[in-house]
Amino acid sequence: MMQEITLKPGMEHMIQKKVAYEDTTVSFGRAGIETLFSTPALVTMMIEACVDLVGDNVPDGTVTVARGLQVTHEKPTLQGMTVTVKAMVDRLEGNVIYFDLVCMDEVGQIAKGRMERHIVNKDALIKRAHNRAEVLEDINR
């Protein structure tokens, strides 16, 4: 890659949000616990924190894509409470970034996780997706 990757181990980024109705388990038809913060909403915040942390710290023409995510959602959080997600770069190995994630509400830690993101060429990624879709076009002819 021409430009340098400026991400370094220890770099971190935090995001926060108040748990809204659409962040609760109601989106998944979970009657009786619909006032609770859902795991998919938590995962979305984890991804957002990592993507924000990467920001412009990768070369032009590249993006990061999630390869793996491990989440342990330990404690329930009610709608109206505030959730904070902290993403930290654990290490880099070539074009792979490993993140540690910690999630809290006002009472304490509610979840933790690890994410692996790969730095890839954006145009090549889109081309691969189109090439995969051509299989469907061939089937439908």
Side-chain angles (χ1 to χ4, degrees):
M1 293 182 186
M2 304 266 182
Q3 285 172 279
E4 192 180 330
I5 298 165
T6 53
L7 284 170
K8 303 277 182 255
M11 288 175 73
E12 55 185 54
H13 179 71
M14 286 189 352
I15 61 170
Q16 257 188 344
K17 98 179 279 196
K18 184 177 272 222
V19 177
Y21 181 72
E22 57 271 14
D23 300 318
T24 66
T25 56
V26 74
S27 312
F28 304 92
R30 302 289 300 276
I33 60 168
E34 59 273 319
T35 57
L36 298 181
F37 184 50
S38 74
T39 303
L42 172 71
V43 167
T44 299
M45 283 186 74
M46 290 174 139
I47 294 167
E48 182 183 342
C50 290
V51 169
D52 285 355
L53 177 50
V54 168
D56 295 331
N57 292 305
V58 293
D60 290 341
T62 66
V63 293
T64 63
V65 293
R67 174 69 189 272
L69 175 62
Q70 178 188 344
V71 178
T72 307
H73 194 166
E74 303 159 321
K75 301 273 195 297
T77 300
L78 286 170
Q79 180 180 336
M81 292 178 75
T82 299
V83 172
T84 303
V85 174
K86 181 173 85 173
M88 186 178 79
V89 176
D90 173 44
R91 68 188 193 281
L92 290 95
E93 293 176 5
N95 71 321
V96 184
I97 311 162
Y98 295 92
F99 297 90
D100 283 324
L101 294 143
V102 178
C103 311
M104 296 147 287
D105 60 20
E106 294 95 331
V107 181
Q109 184 170 313
I110 61 166
K112 62 188 176 195
R114 296 185 53 78
M115 183 178 289
E116 174 185 331
R117 296 189 70 81
H118 290 227
I119 303 167
V120 299
N121 179 287
K122 186 167 102 179
D123 293 338
L125 175 68
I126 293 167
K127 187 176 193 310
R128 281 198 308 274
H130 283 285
N131 289 344
R132 288 190 73 242
E134 282 175 13
V135 172
L136 296 176
E137 292 170 19
D138 292 343
I139 291 170
N140 294 330
R141 284 194 182 127

